Amino acid sequence: MSRDRIERRLLLVLKPMVIALLFLVTAFPFFYMVMLSVRDIQELILEPGSLWPSAFTFDTYVDVLTRQGFLTFIRNSAIIAVASVAVTLLISIPGAYAVARLRFFGRRQVHFLFLAVYLFPAIVLAIPLFVLFTMLGLRGSLIGLILVYIAQTVPVTVYMLRNYFETVPQSVEEAAAIDGCTRLSTIWRVVLPLSKPALMATGLYAFMIAWNEFLFALLFLVERRESWTVSLGLSQLAGSIEIPTTVLMAGSVVLTLPIVIIFFAGERLLTEGLTAGAEKG
Amino acid sequence: MSGGRTLREQEGRAGLVLISPTLIITLVVVVVPLLWAIMLAFQDARLINIRRTGVFGNYTLENFSYVISEPGFWTSLINTLVYTVAGTALSIAIGLVAALALRDRFPGRTVIRASILIPYVAPVVAVAFLWETMLNPQYGIVNTWLDEPIAFLTQARGEFLGIQVPVALLTVIAFEAWRYFPFAFLFILARLQALPAELDEAAVVDGATPTQRFRYVIMPQLWRIIALLSVLRFVFTFTKFDDVYLLTGGGAGTEVVSVRVYNFLTARDDIGASAAQAIVLAVVLVVFLAVYLRFFSGGEREQR
């Protein structure tokens, strides 16, 4: 048999194995997460190796949502995420339009600033912001956290939106201008309606950052339990011995599910927006 | 938005007006705090006396000499380096394999692809807790498969095939590879699917075997995206806090610099020393990047 035939045969066997392994390694932990969340803690202790609960229970979810306060945490996370998305869009739409269309002083330097902010380590920023918020008495308030999230997402969202705005034909905008539109009403009536997919992707990105973030939530909110986000709540309760692991697993599902649903609802938009630069190589 | 004499002047003014909210928020929340962090690193700053430190406060190098003389700092810097290099390399290697395996269509590809992306998309707190539970020595599922339970996250050293290995550090690295290979996968797959098919087809006609095509046709077209991914993953991992903090809290020989920065800031209330370590970390990162970029762009010139 020639080398080519051997290699092809080998690949024919190897490829499904690799694919199966990848699927197992990524899907199994989440399957395990869901299965743990619907069983009683006694069952886990007695039979740690079993994958299918002998009796399904949803008491874990009732417990985590009410007694452990996850309903409050969900409300906090939702407020933070929605506010971050709204303000991020409000700021990055005009910013991206300016970078895409208008020639102004410092336009080239702006790119450099954004790249620097994108790559900038959060742990360095954490120190002065922690000190500042302590001095201002803003620790424990959600507003400070929202501000930080906006600053961290705006550079990326401006970049994503700019890529899209550049694909909107300039002639459409010129036509609007001739019809008497001002610059702002051109953006509002012509550019934005044409950019709905990009706006969706940008909003999803900002939402995911705000929902998943941990370090700043930990630094700013840890002392006030009623302000905890879902991420912070789970991380703080995970160390306690009194709360059964199965109840906390229900908490993980509550934390993970919204983000997974949102991601796959807008997946195509999001991955195209983020990897747009990759195709140019 | 009028008043400028020429259209060009008007355009310039409109541009600045529209970009200013973006600039203001990045200046206020990123640039000014950065400068302040540098100032704090050179001052004796604690939360109690913070109001007395200011722009004209007493500057000193004490924080740096104190931080550098602590042996724990050097250990954590080495940990950071090992964790970053191994995590970056593994996540990109697995991402490459995954992208090659999922390049061609097959039934069920969409489902597999979705499953691969979940570790990256899911909140870090949830997946870290999931790993902690799965690896738990008492009731974790992984330990029920083993003859003898291993304390993956709380055991600094262990023996494997007669060799001493840093158990917890390796576990944290495995977590890093598992969580971030989807990131590399996404970028590499996007690049793979944009490659012109003609080159590959020509190689088939010329009788190249699959490994030869991979080595001589596909890889040369992927180097640039892999180099970019290496930089991105290195930068992100080098200063990463969440993953290690949530998995081990920095214990069992996994303390990285960012976790140390956090502990100095909150538990020890030593803002100055905390800032000094963060600055050292950032400087080391910049030096690595500079060396890498120099090396890399030099290599590219030779290739031409």
Side-chain angles (χ1 to χ4, degrees):
Chain A
M1 225 174 0
S2 73
R3 177 177 162 188
D4 191 49
R5 293 273 295 277
I6 297 173
E7 279 188 13
R8 277 168 194 269
R9 287 264 167 92
L10 210 62
L11 273 185
L12 220 59
V13 183
L14 265 179
K15 207 160 153 182
M17 278 170 67
V18 167
I19 292 171
L21 186 69
L22 286 171
F23 181 67
L24 200 69
V25 167
T26 50
F28 177 74
F30 293 95
F31 168 75
Y32 181 70
M33 181 196 255
V34 175
M35 284 303 140
L36 270 203
S37 75
V38 291
R39 77 173 70 178
D40 194 69
I41 182 72
Q42 288 304 323
E43 213 190 300
L44 171 67
I45 306 283
L46 291 175
E47 270 186 89
S50 84
L51 284 176
W52 199 260
S54 57
F56 283 86
T57 170
F58 288 95
D59 294 349
T60 46
Y61 284 88
V62 176
D63 189 350
V64 84
L65 287 176
T66 55
R67 227 154 57 100
Q68 313 302 343
F70 266 57
L71 277 180
T72 319
F73 305 160
I74 291 174
R75 198 204 61 199
N76 293 335
S77 281
I79 291 173
I80 292 173
V82 170
S84 301
V85 170
V87 182
T88 299
L89 283 178
L90 208 64
I91 292 178
S92 51
I93 288 170
Y97 181 81
V99 180
R101 277 284 188 272
L102 306 174
R103 289 159 295 175
F104 58 89
F105 176 72
R107 184 181 172 191
R108 281 173 190 281
Q109 286 72 19
V110 165
H111 287 300
F112 178 73
L113 180 70
F114 290 166
L115 187 67
V117 173
Y118 179 56
L119 293 177
F120 200 78
I123 192 74
V124 179
L125 284 189
I127 300 162
L129 291 176
F130 178 75
V131 174
L132 178 71
F133 285 21
T134 309
M135 284 167 75
L136 295 176
L138 268 178
R139 254 163 76 193
S141 91
L142 303 183
I143 296 183
L145 200 59
I146 295 172
L147 269 181
V148 176
Y149 291 167
I150 295 166
Q152 290 201 320
T153 40
V154 156
V156 181
T157 54
V158 166
Y159 172 80
M160 283 166 71
L161 281 178
R162 184 211 63 172
N163 282 348
Y164 202 88
F165 286 169
E166 279 176 349
T167 64
V168 174
Q170 202 137 15
S171 52
V172 188
E173 281 180 51
E174 282 157 9
I178 290 168
D179 286 349
C181 275
T182 62
R183 182 112 47 206
L184 280 181
S185 63
T186 309
I187 296 180
W188 182 250
R189 286 169 195 226
V190 178
V191 180
L192 290 190
L194 285 173
S195 312
K196 268 190 195 135
L199 294 177
M200 281 280 294
T202 315
L204 289 180
Y205 176 78
F207 189 94
M208 284 175 60
I209 295 278
W211 184 274
N212 288 357
E213 206 278 339
F214 173 65
L215 169 60
F216 287 104
L218 174 68
L219 277 173
F220 297 163
L221 303 179
V222 74
E223 280 138 15
R224 269 190 60 189
R225 187 173 172 148
E226 63 272 26
S227 309
W228 284 358
T229 59
V230 187
S231 274
L232 183 59
L234 180 64
S235 75
Q236 292 303 303
L237 299 180
S240 104
I241 325 161
E242 297 109 65
I243 308 171
T245 306
T246 50
V247 171
L248 290 171
M249 265 311 161
S252 316
V253 174
V254 168
L255 170 61
T256 311
L257 207 58
I259 228 60
V260 170
I261 291 173
I262 284 181
F263 179 77
F264 287 115
E267 195 239 323
R268 187 122 304 167
L269 303 173
L270 205 59
T271 50
E272 271 169 21
L274 282 176
T275 56
E279 274 138 50
K280 288 172 200 151
Chain B
M1 256 176 265
S2 58
R5 265 181 302 171
T6 63
L7 271 176
R8 185 66 198 268
E9 272 174 35
Q10 274 183 33
E11 189 183 323
R13 202 164 302 165
L16 283 177
V17 170
L18 292 178
I19 195 82
S20 55
T22 310
L23 287 182
I24 289 169
I25 190 145
T26 40
L27 279 181
V28 170
V29 186
V30 179
V31 179
V32 173
L34 167 64
L35 298 177
W36 195 13
I38 296 173
M39 271 167 51
L40 286 171
F42 291 96
Q43 290 176 329
D44 176 28
R46 284 164 200 280
L47 273 185
I48 310 155
N49 68 4
I50 191 70
R51 284 182 195 280
R52 268 182 281 139
T53 64
V55 184
F56 305 106
N58 296 319
Y59 288 96
T60 160
L61 282 172
E62 241 170 68
N63 290 324
F64 287 93
S65 56
Y66 166 65
V67 158
I68 287 174
S69 65
E70 288 222 324
F73 175 73
W74 295 104
T75 320
S76 72
L77 196 60
I78 291 168
N79 283 344
T80 309
L81 204 61
V82 173
Y83 165 68
T84 307
V85 171
T88 302
L90 274 176
S91 68
I92 295 177
I94 302 174
L96 174 65
V97 171
L100 288 169
L102 268 77
R103 187 185 180 192
D104 302 317
R105 282 177 192 285
F106 58 86
R109 187 175 82 152
T110 326
V111 177
I112 309 270
R113 189 169 175 277
S115 148
I116 285 181
L117 293 180
I118 297 183
Y120 177 61
V121 174
V124 60
V125 177
V127 286
F129 178 64
L130 182 57
W131 271 58
E132 256 179 87
T133 308
M134 291 180 75
L135 297 177
N136 186 296
Q138 273 104 47
Y139 53 78
I141 185 106
V142 174
N143 274 309
T144 64
W145 300 332
L146 303 171
D147 297 334
E148 248 179 75
I150 301 173
F152 286 97
L153 291 167
T154 48
Q155 183 182 343
R157 310 221 150 261
E159 208 160 278
F160 181 71
L161 301 176
I163 314 165
Q164 284 270 315
V165 286
V167 178
L169 188 61
L170 288 180
T171 312
V172 172
I173 289 170
F175 178 82
E176 196 65 20
W178 176 79
R179 187 162 142 73
Y180 293 102
F181 90 84
F183 181 82
F185 162 76
L186 268 185
F187 277 80
I188 296 174
L189 188 66
R191 183 83 189 101
L192 269 180
Q193 288 177 337
L195 292 184
E198 294 87 15
L199 276 176
D200 214 26
E201 284 159 10
V204 173
V205 172
D206 287 346
T209 70
T211 47
Q212 285 170 334
R213 285 195 330 257
F214 171 71
R215 169 78 183 74
Y216 296 104
V217 180
I218 297 174
M219 265 324 259
Q221 301 181 79
L222 292 182
W223 276 126
R224 290 186 65 138
I225 190 74
I226 289 178
L228 175 69
L229 279 170
S230 313
V231 173
L232 285 180
R233 287 276 20 117
F234 191 93
V235 171
F236 292 144
T237 317
F238 200 70
T239 55
K240 196 137 207 65
F241 165 82
D242 307 358
D243 306 41
V244 174
Y245 178 80
L246 286 165
L247 284 172
T248 66
T254 61
E255 194 183 53
V256 291
V257 177
S258 56
V259 170
R260 232 176 126 76
V261 169
Y262 172 82
N263 284 335
F264 270 73
L265 182 65
T266 56
R268 294 212 209 172
D269 182 25
D270 193 341
I271 298 168
S274 174
Q277 291 180 83
I279 300 293
V280 172
L281 183 72
V283 169
V284 172
L285 177 63
V286 169
V287 169
F288 273 121
L289 272 186
V291 170
Y292 175 84
L293 289 178
R294 186 152 191 159
F295 178 73
F296 179 68
S297 55
E300 197 170 300
R301 222 169 287 134
E302 273 165 39
Q303 274 176 14
R304 273 181 222 158

